[in-house]
Amino acid sequence: MAHLSEMQAKVSVKADTSRKPLPDQQDHKASLDSMLGDLEQELQDLGIATVPKGYCASCQKPIAGKVIHALGQSWHPEHFVCTHCKEELGSSPFFERSGLPYCSKDYHHLFSPRCAYCAAPITDKVLTAMNKTWHPEHFFCSHCGEVFGAEGFHEKDKKPYCRKDFLAMFSPKCGGCNRPVLENYLSAMNTVWHPECFVCGDCFSSFSSGSFFELDGRPFCELHYHHRRGTLCHDCGQPITGRCISAMGHKFHPEHFVCAFCLTQLPKGIFKEQNNKTYCEKCFTKLFSQ
């Protein structure tokens, strides 16, 4: 008993001594290790066996009090710390990397993928697109800002766009209606057209023969092209594509420029006019000279 009282007195003295300010943390650790070593030795001298709970994976010393089991090893609570910031992990959740423990904050800061939009670590759901990682709420259309739905996205110049904005901004526009051309199209006059939009600019009929006439950047059928050009025969109303006779402010096929009375073709465009009608000289004299 005397030995036990003496031992308790020494422990008490050592405990009081440990409460004194130490120069630094390392001196405090050395003093604590020395005190525990002396205590263990004195217990053994008294015949009291000390059975450690394991050896600390950090300091390699026996663990006599509280113990933390983690990563398949045992630790003094004060030695189970974040590898990066050195804060005690205690019973808090932690992450393991290459066999080393990290607190949640440092693990995500050091190892979690970064969002391509905000550059912050992604700690929960991650979206992968365009060879980058994103917070799901940060992967949205570069034009309208809407998060992508079931239609997905389109990429242009390394930026994502919703279908609506992509088509409106980058798809070729129809030369007729100026709406995006998505599927079937015709290529004519250095632009593209919806098949239903490539029609005559006046009568809106399609070009069944495959040929059309261009005027002022618009397609026309032959009839309305010549109508706009003023090259329809005043007599038959059909286009004039060859020789033409101009008379009385109109144009005529040569074979249709005839005397209004005898219907003889007027040679060399020589005629007489009466009441906006053409006559050969003979018929004119016969009809109007009296």
Side-chain angles (χ1 to χ4, degrees):
M1 292 297 292
H3 287 289
L4 183 59
S5 298
E6 181 180 354
M7 180 199 70
Q8 291 175 337
K10 289 180 180 180
V11 171
S12 176
V13 170
K14 291 182 182 294
D16 291 340
T17 304
S18 67
R19 295 191 186 97
K20 295 179 182 180
L22 295 175
D24 53 40
Q25 187 175 359
Q26 188 169 355
D27 291 342
H28 174 73
K29 179 178 182 297
S31 176
L32 180 60
D33 290 343
S34 177
M35 183 185 72
L36 291 175
D38 292 344
L39 177 59
E40 182 178 3
Q41 183 62 49
E42 290 176 2
L43 288 172
Q44 290 177 355
D45 292 343
L46 294 172
I48 302 174
T50 58
V51 180
K53 298 178 180 179
Y55 289 86
C56 178
S58 175
C59 68
Q60 308 302 319
K61 296 186 183 306
I63 303 173
K66 291 183 178 180
V67 61
I68 290 180
H69 296 286
L71 303 176
Q73 301 182 84
S74 302
W75 312 72
H76 289 116
E78 66 272 17
H79 291 163
F80 187 59
V81 298
C82 171
T83 302
H84 186 71
C85 68
K86 307 305 179 185
E87 291 291 324
E88 288 187 23
L89 295 173
S91 59
S92 302
F94 70 93
F95 291 83
E96 179 266 340
R97 177 88 173 194
S98 301
L100 300 175
Y102 292 86
C103 66
S104 177
K105 178 182 176 182
D106 286 334
Y107 180 86
H108 289 304
H109 176 75
L110 293 170
F111 307 115
S112 288
R114 298 271 171 169
C115 176
Y117 175 75
C118 69
I122 303 174
T123 61
D124 195 5
K125 293 182 179 179
V126 58
L127 188 152
T128 302
M130 300 166 54
N131 297 320
K132 298 178 181 179
T133 52
W134 314 71
H135 290 114
E137 65 273 17
H138 287 165
F139 188 59
F140 47 74
C141 175
S142 294
H143 184 72
C144 69
E146 291 293 321
V147 175
F148 301 115
E151 286 188 341
F153 70 96
H154 297 264
E155 181 181 353
K156 177 72 173 180
D157 298 329
K158 298 183 179 180
K159 293 181 179 180
Y161 294 88
C162 65
R163 176 179 172 83
K164 177 183 175 182
D165 288 331
F166 179 85
L167 295 178
M169 297 173 68
F170 306 115
S171 288
K173 303 300 187 297
C174 173
C177 67
N178 202 40
R179 290 183 290 110
V181 176
L182 307 181
E183 296 178 350
N184 296 333
Y185 67 92
L186 295 174
S187 181
M189 299 163 52
N190 297 319
T191 189
V192 293
W193 308 73
H194 295 115
E196 64 272 18
C197 293
F198 190 62
V199 294
C200 173
D202 279 345
C203 67
F204 305 109
S205 60
S206 60
F207 306 109
S208 56
S209 65
S211 63
F212 65 94
F213 294 79
E214 179 182 355
L215 183 64
D216 299 328
R218 298 174 61 193
F220 292 92
C221 65
E222 185 178 21
L223 179 65
H224 289 100
Y225 170 81
H226 285 284
H227 175 74
R228 285 180 170 260
R229 291 288 304 273
T231 52
L232 290 180
C233 177
H234 184 64
D235 180 65
C236 69
Q238 294 302 309
I240 301 173
T241 58
R243 292 178 57 238
C244 172
I245 292 179
S246 296
M248 303 184 301
H250 301 291
K251 290 183 171 61
F252 299 83
H253 288 114
E255 62 272 20
H256 292 157
F257 189 61
V258 297
C259 173
F261 186 74
C262 69
L263 302 181
T264 302
Q265 184 176 340
L266 299 171
K268 299 182 181 179
I270 300 172
F271 66 97
K272 298 287 185 177
E273 179 184 355
Q274 183 72 23
N275 298 325
N276 204 31
K277 293 182 179 181
T278 57
Y279 296 90
C280 64
E281 188 171 356
K282 180 179 178 181
C283 289
F284 182 84
T285 303
K286 181 179 179 180
L287 294 171
F288 304 110
S289 62
Q290 296 178 357

